[in-house]
Amino acid sequence: MSGPSTPKFSMSKTVPEAARRNGALRDGSRVVPEETPVAFTFGGSTHAVMMATPGDLEDFAVGFSLTEGIITDPDQIEAIEPFADAVADNLGIDLQITLRDEQNDMLRLRRRHMAGPVGCGLCGIESIEQAVRPTPDVSASTLRLSQDDVVKAVALLNGQQPLHFETRAVHGAAFYVPGKGLIAVREDVGRHNALDKLVGAAARAGFRGCDGAVVVTSRVSVEMVQKTAVVGSPVIIAISAPTALAIRTAEAAGMTLIALVRGDEFEIFTHAERIKSGAVADVA
């Protein structure tokens, strides 16, 4: 994979505000995250436009391509070229992704257009069947985590979110490998975008999904489970609660879904047999 150096885009901005403190309004300022349209263009045609934080763009391109099933390996991307593009009074980003010939031909057969705002990972798809697409089975994974691993993974993520600490307005996603800790952390205003960026970062670093668990700061919706399964991870750990469909999907896929992690307390909704007591776990 090759391409020009990535343009630098601001991830946050300081804005003026009036804040009520101790019963009175006072002028001040606050740091807020940037949000911009990011287009994924393959072979000259825009495949999707996501509202996202303009950082880690190569990771985003690779991760989106993987979780959407456009590629199965980062090496199937020949080049990624980010271009700034003026959109009204704002700056958009066009990620022009060049696939190798075989993947490009396959994409032409399944071409569809969608638009995904921050709050929805399935907006713009063309059929109910696409929304409930088959989720890969991860039940064969031999990965085991200890209860201490679950607590540690979330605690580590809480300490490695610089943009969240600055703005209190973005989601985080991390990949936790027993014995190694967090090998990648990514942030974005959209929880699906943060996960796609994480998938891309881990894949580019040579880590396989089956090596560890996905950790997220958001709720667990069905598409979060689907994306986790696509990359082969058998465990998803979340700070917030899951939806009923996410639980059913994780159960059918053989995935361990852990949520509502608060300190050393958490709830396991599916396949609890993968979580062992004590501080020692096994790695596949």
Side-chain angles (χ1 to χ4, degrees):
M1 186 193 315
S2 62
S5 59
T6 305
K8 295 295 183 182
F9 299 97
S10 176
M11 300 275 282
S12 61
K13 183 177 182 179
T14 301
V15 297
E17 67 166 8
R20 188 173 189 267
R21 299 287 186 268
N22 299 318
L25 281 177
R26 293 182 174 86
D27 291 336
S29 63
R30 171 169 286 276
V31 180
V32 296
E34 284 288 358
E35 180 181 14
T36 190
V38 177
F40 296 93
T41 300
F42 297 89
S45 297
T46 298
H47 182 82
V49 179
M50 309 299 288
M51 298 304 299
T53 303
D56 301 307
L57 295 175
E58 288 92 345
D59 292 338
F60 199 10
V62 172
F64 177 87
S65 300
L66 284 167
T67 62
E68 282 296 303
I70 295 169
I71 62 171
T72 58
D73 188 285
D75 287 340
Q76 292 168 342
I77 294 179
E78 196 168 271
I80 300 170
E81 300 182 47
F83 290 94
D85 188 17
V87 180
D89 293 328
N90 298 309
L91 186 67
I93 300 169
D94 185 5
L95 289 177
Q96 296 191 11
I97 304 165
T98 303
L99 302 175
R100 302 203 181 276
D101 289 343
E102 183 178 351
Q103 278 65 45
N104 203 40
D105 292 342
M106 292 175 63
L107 179 60
R108 287 197 187 100
L109 295 176
R110 55 160 283 187
R111 176 74 66 185
R112 61 182 174 87
H113 297 277
M114 68 181 183
V118 165
C120 178
L122 296 175
C123 297
I125 61 176
E126 296 176 344
S127 70
I128 292 175
E129 287 75 13
Q130 288 174 345
V132 292
R133 61 186 177 182
T135 302
D137 190 324
V138 295
S139 59
S141 171
T142 58
L143 176 72
R144 297 293 183 269
L145 298 180
S146 71
Q147 294 178 29
D148 288 354
D149 278 322
V150 175
V151 173
K152 180 180 179 181
V154 172
L156 288 172
L157 177 55
N158 286 339
Q160 296 187 35
Q161 299 177 76
L163 189 59
H164 175 70
F165 291 140
E166 188 178 36
T167 66
R168 301 294 176 182
V170 298
H171 292 288
F175 193 62
Y176 177 83
V177 176
K180 295 181 179 179
L182 300 184
I183 60 94
V185 178
R186 292 294 182 268
E187 298 179 277
D188 197 276
V189 291
R191 66 187 189 278
H192 316 99
N193 301 338
L195 181 51
D196 279 341
K197 289 179 178 181
L198 172 70
V199 168
R204 295 174 72 201
F207 286 91
R208 303 174 303 161
C210 60
D211 292 332
V214 167
V215 191
V216 297
T217 60
S218 64
R219 73 181 186 274
V220 185
S221 51
V222 63
E223 63 270 30
M224 302 294 277
V225 171
Q226 290 172 332
K227 288 175 182 291
T228 299
V230 164
V231 297
S233 179
V235 180
I236 184 167
I237 303 169
I239 292 174
S240 296
T243 67
L245 181 56
I247 293 170
R248 292 194 296 271
T249 303
E251 177 65 37
M255 181 183 297
T256 301
L257 193 164
I258 305 168
L260 296 163
V261 184
R262 299 289 187 274
D264 61 357
E265 297 181 348
F266 54 84
E267 300 177 23
I268 307 175
F269 291 86
T270 61
H271 297 282
E273 69 278 358
R274 198 173 269 118
I275 307 303
K276 304 300 182 181
S277 61
V280 179
D282 303 319
V283 183

